[in-house]
Amino acid sequence: MDFTIYLEEAAQVSIAFVIGAAIGIEREFRSKPAGFRTMIFICVGSCLYTILSKESNTISPDRIASNIVTGVGFIGAGVIFKEGITVNGLTTAALIWITAALGMSIGYHNYPLAFVVSSMVVVALFVLEPVQQFINKVHKVKDYKIRANDTELIFKEEMEAYFKQKGITFRCMKMIKENNEAVYTYRIGAPKFDYDIVNNYLLQHRSVVSFDM
């Protein structure tokens, strides 16, 4: 029995362990749903399935790879959730997807590609965060979902007149009627990113039933 094969495969899953851990540390630090251990399991599991698919004489490796992608898609969908009108978890879902791809590349002995892509992921997670924060500061808008008991558009006209007076940029994205209430979705950009003037107006207005952003 040639034990060198098993040693090589053990080295492969060990590398997958390290790469999954490196990506998972960042998610764990930010208290995301898929954290340290989850990313390790995804990377090692994808690597293991890929190794087993190469050793099988009855199952096409392409079918194993496609099933890995499908299974990872279900895991990624589980970490995406909607809070108000904001969708969270997309970055974590994308990381789950690429972590599985890294595990598969290690299973296929493509170490240079796995190293390059892993470096890109780490740079995007740690180094490029200040760049993203700068972009958010330069161009920052918020989506508001406003529920009002006025269905005759009087509130809408008053609110938009107030926004124009305060120099607030806005765009009405959606307007519907639910249970005798008007529900508006606005994309709003406040001067100097001071959204307190928007929030205070909505809190004090007699027609506003509720709002979230």
Side-chain angles (χ1 to χ4, degrees):
M1 183 178 295
D2 188 3
F3 285 98
T4 57
I5 297 177
Y6 298 107
L7 291 175
E8 182 180 357
E9 292 174 348
Q12 286 179 276
V13 294
S14 298
I15 294 172
F17 180 96
V18 173
I19 290 178
I23 296 173
I25 286 174
E26 190 271 345
R27 293 289 89 185
E28 192 72 33
F29 179 76
R30 301 183 188 280
S31 300
K32 299 299 181 179
F36 184 67
R37 292 182 299 173
T38 304
M39 291 301 181
I40 291 175
F41 293 152
I42 290 171
C43 197
V44 171
S46 299
C47 179
L48 180 59
Y49 273 117
T50 304
I51 293 172
L52 294 176
S53 70
K54 294 190 301 179
E55 295 178 351
S56 175
N57 296 323
T58 58
I59 303 175
S60 171
D62 295 340
R63 291 181 59 188
I64 296 292
S66 63
N67 286 329
I68 292 173
V69 174
T70 302
V72 167
F74 280 106
I75 298 174
V79 301
I80 299 174
F81 61 96
K82 190 172 182 292
E83 183 178 358
I85 56 176
T86 304
V87 178
N88 296 311
L90 292 175
T91 300
T92 302
L95 279 174
I96 289 174
W97 176 68
I98 199 167
T99 300
L102 289 169
M104 293 173 65
S105 67
I106 295 167
Y108 282 117
H109 299 279
N110 200 335
Y111 303 113
L113 182 61
F115 175 77
V116 171
V117 175
S118 299
S119 301
M120 290 179 177
V121 172
V122 171
V123 168
L125 289 175
F126 292 98
V127 180
L128 296 184
E129 183 185 5
V131 178
Q132 181 180 359
Q133 292 177 349
F134 174 77
I135 294 173
N136 290 337
K137 289 180 180 179
V138 173
H139 181 70
K140 185 176 182 181
V141 295
K142 289 188 177 182
D143 290 340
Y144 279 75
K145 184 177 182 180
I146 306 166
R147 185 179 295 271
N149 55 22
D150 176 15
T151 58
E152 297 181 0
L153 299 181
I154 297 175
F155 163 71
K156 182 176 184 294
E157 293 172 357
E158 289 180 357
M159 179 175 61
E160 293 184 354
Y162 176 82
F163 288 166
K164 291 177 182 178
Q165 178 187 353
K166 296 297 183 180
I168 299 170
T169 59
F170 63 90
R171 182 155 62 103
C172 184
M173 309 290 292
K174 189 176 181 182
M175 180 174 60
I176 61 174
K177 182 180 178 180
E178 287 184 355
N179 301 324
N180 294 322
E181 293 178 342
V183 182
Y184 306 96
T185 302
Y186 274 86
R187 181 157 293 169
I188 297 174
K192 299 180 181 179
F193 312 124
D194 182 11
Y195 286 90
D196 287 341
I197 56 176
V198 179
N199 298 336
N200 291 335
Y201 175 82
L202 296 175
L203 285 170
Q204 296 172 9
H205 201 286
R206 64 188 182 279
S207 298
V208 175
V209 176
S210 65
F211 71 93
D212 54 40
M213 54 184 173

